[in-house]
Amino acid sequence: MKIICRCEDVTEEDIINAIKDGCTTLDELKHVLRLGMGPCQGRTCIPMAACILSRETGKKVSEIELQTSRPPVVPVPLGTLASGEND
Amino acid sequence: MIEKADVVIIGGGVNGCALSYELSLRGVDVVVIERKNLTSGATGRCGAGIRQQWSTEENAILAIKSIKIFEGLEKELGDDIGLKQGGYLIAVHDEKDMKQAKKNVEMQRSLGLDVNILETDEIEEVAPILDVEGMDVIGATFCPTDGNADPFKTTYAYARAAVRNGAKLYKFTEVQDVLTKNGEVTGVKTDGGTIKTSIVVNAAGAWSKKIAEMVGIHLPNIPYKKEIMVTDRVAPIFDPMVISFKDGIYFSQQENGQILGGIPPPETVTGYDLTPTLSFLEHMSGTLTRYAPLLKHINVLRQWTGFYDVTPDALPILGEVEELKGFVQCNGFSGHGFMLSPMVTRLLAEAITGEKTSLPIDRLRLERFEKMEFEREKSVVG
C-alpha cells in the first residue's frame, strides 16, 4: 500500500480506482478523494498524483492541469489575519 | 457522441446532475453537457449549507421538501452524500431584526418546521464557542434539522445513479450553440458534435445568461463574485451552521473538523473574475473571531472564490420560456442552488414529462420579471 496524500490518507490504489471510475484530472481526484485538501495543500501529493494520472491515462505530465494556487501560501492563524483588519 | 436525446441539460453542477437523475427515473433519454468537470462551477465552491429558514413561503416550502429528500438520498442513490443535520443558528441583532425573525418563524412553523427563537443564554448553550457580546445579538432563530451536505458526494451520487439509469454525461464538452427553428428548440451544437433534441435545460449557473443569449433570450441574472475560506481540521467544537444576515457571515464545522465559511467581501464585485482578495480574508477572520474568539488559534488553509447567479428577487428561474418552446430554465439560484436542488429538480422533471407538479412553479418563470410581480427573498447570506 502506497500512501500518496499523507494529510488525507489517500493511497495509490484509491487514485487508480478513481481514475477507473472516470476521473481524468487532478481537480476531479481532489473532489472525489480529498487529495490535496489537507494542511500541505497538495505540495507533497500533487506531483506524485500527476505522475500516476499520466501513467494511467497516457497524458503527458506537462499537459496535466495543476490545481489553482490559492492563498495563503502556508497556514495562517485566524487571529493573525483578524489583527490585520483592526490596524 | 449520441445524435439525439429527449432532453439535453447544459451544466454539470448539482442541479444539472440531479435533474438528469430525476428525468432518468421517468424513462427520459437525457444527456448532460458539462464544459469542464462536474461541480466546476458554484457547486464545487459553495459553503454546502442546507437550510429551511427562508423568509418567503416559496423558498421555505421548496427548502423543507428538499431537506426531506436529502434525508433519504443516501438510501435512494446508494452512495453517501455526507449529510450532517446540526442545525442553523441565525443571529438576531436588534429589534428590527427580531420583528422579521418572528415573522419568519411564524410562517415557517405554520409549514410544520421545528424552529424557535433563542434567547442569548440559549445561544451559548447550543454553541458554547459563540460569544453573544462579540456577535452583538439580542437572540437567534434555530432549526435543528438544517445542516450541510457534501456537494461533491451529492453531485457524483446523482450523476452515477443517472448514468446507471441510462443517462449520458459528456464532460469537458462545450456548448457552442442552441439550435432553433420556427420558435422551437431543435438541438444543441457542441465541440464534440450536435445533438438533436426538442428540450434544452439551461442549468449553467453563472453562465446561464450566456447560454440564453445564444437564442436571443435575456436573463436578468448577474454573477456576483463570492469568497470563502476553510481552516485546518480540529476536534468537533460546534454543531450548527452560524449565520448573520446583517454581517453576511456564515460558518460551520464540517464532518472532518474543518471550519468552512464566508462573508461578502468589503467591495461587491460582479462579473467573471475569480481572484481571491486579502481584504476578504481579513474581514472574514475579523468577524469570525468576534463571533467566536477562541477560533483565533485555528489556521486558515485556503481561500477560494465562486459566483452566486443572482436574480432580482433572489428566487430561481424555473420552467419553459414563453418565447422559445423547449427552452427550459433551471438557474438564478442566488446562492442557494445546492440546498434547493433535490426538490427543484424533481419539480422540473415533473413539468418536463407533463406530470402535474407537486408544487406550483409557474410563479418562478422568467416572465415574472416583465410583469414585475415578485417579492424579494430577504434571507440571503454570504
Side-chain angles (χ1 to χ4, degrees), chain B residues 46-291:
Chain B
C46 71
I50 60 178
R51 67 173 150 113
Q52 303 157 100
Q53 298 184 67
W54 289 93
S55 80
T56 63
E57 203 164 308
E58 228 124 29
N59 264 344
I61 295 174
L62 274 177
I64 289 170
K65 295 209 180 262
S66 283
I67 302 295
K68 266 277 159 303
I69 299 173
F70 266 117
E71 286 170 353
L73 213 49
E74 181 176 333
K75 194 157 174 222
E76 186 178 345
L77 302 177
D79 266 325
D80 176 32
I81 59 157
L83 177 66
K84 173 190 162 187
Q85 287 173 287
Y88 254 65
L89 192 140
I90 304 184
V92 177
H93 296 276
D94 52 41
E95 286 308 323
K96 181 164 168 254
D97 260 6
M98 185 55 90
K99 206 166 159 209
Q100 182 66 48
K102 287 193 169 145
K103 204 168 155 224
N104 291 348
V105 167
E106 196 186 319
M107 179 270 290
Q108 292 153 10
R109 286 180 75 88
S110 79
L111 299 171
L113 194 62
D114 174 13
V115 58
N116 290 292
I117 306 268
L118 299 182
E119 308 282 323
T120 50
D121 54 339
E122 289 172 303
I123 292 174
E124 286 176 347
E125 269 169 41
V126 168
I129 192 81
L130 296 176
D131 172 20
V132 294
E133 268 179 46
M135 288 169 74
D136 188 28
V137 290
I138 60 172
T141 64
F142 181 68
C143 170
T145 52
D146 289 343
N148 56 268
D150 185 313
F152 304 118
K153 287 184 177 162
T154 306
T155 307
Y156 276 83
Y158 266 125
R160 279 190 205 110
V163 166
R164 277 200 302 271
N165 292 346
K168 300 267 181 297
L169 171 58
Y170 296 101
K171 302 182 298 184
F172 300 103
T173 303
E174 189 159 348
V175 167
Q176 294 170 329
D177 203 4
V178 174
L179 308 171
T180 66
K181 191 174 179 182
N182 299 331
E184 292 185 14
V185 162
T186 58
V188 178
K189 179 165 181 268
T190 76
D191 58 7
T194 298
I195 306 175
K196 287 201 190 99
T197 185
S198 57
I199 301 178
V200 167
V201 180
N202 184 5
W207 296 270
S208 299
K209 204 178 167 114
K210 296 196 179 255
I211 297 290
E213 275 166 17
M214 289 176 180
V215 289
I217 303 255
H218 169 73
L219 294 182
N221 311 14
I222 298 178
Y224 278 76
K225 180 173 95 172
K226 294 294 177 178
E227 303 201 48
I228 183 172
M229 56 114 244
V230 76
T231 69
D232 220 340
R233 296 189 196 213
V234 291
I237 311 176
F238 62 103
D239 276 332
M241 166 93 86
V242 178
I243 76 176
S244 159
F245 299 124
K246 178 172 169 221
D247 292 322
I249 193 173
Y250 63 89
F251 60 96
S252 70
Q253 189 168 25
Q254 306 299 291
E255 265 320 286
N256 67 6
Q258 289 178 297
I259 296 168
L260 180 64
I263 199 169
E267 272 176 47
T268 307
V269 177
T270 61
Y272 293 100
D273 170 53
L274 281 172
T275 317
T277 63
L278 179 59
S279 60
F280 157 76
L281 216 44
E282 288 177 337
H283 184 45
M284 178 68 193
S285 310
T287 312
L288 183 53
T289 52
R290 187 163 52 81
Y291 273 53

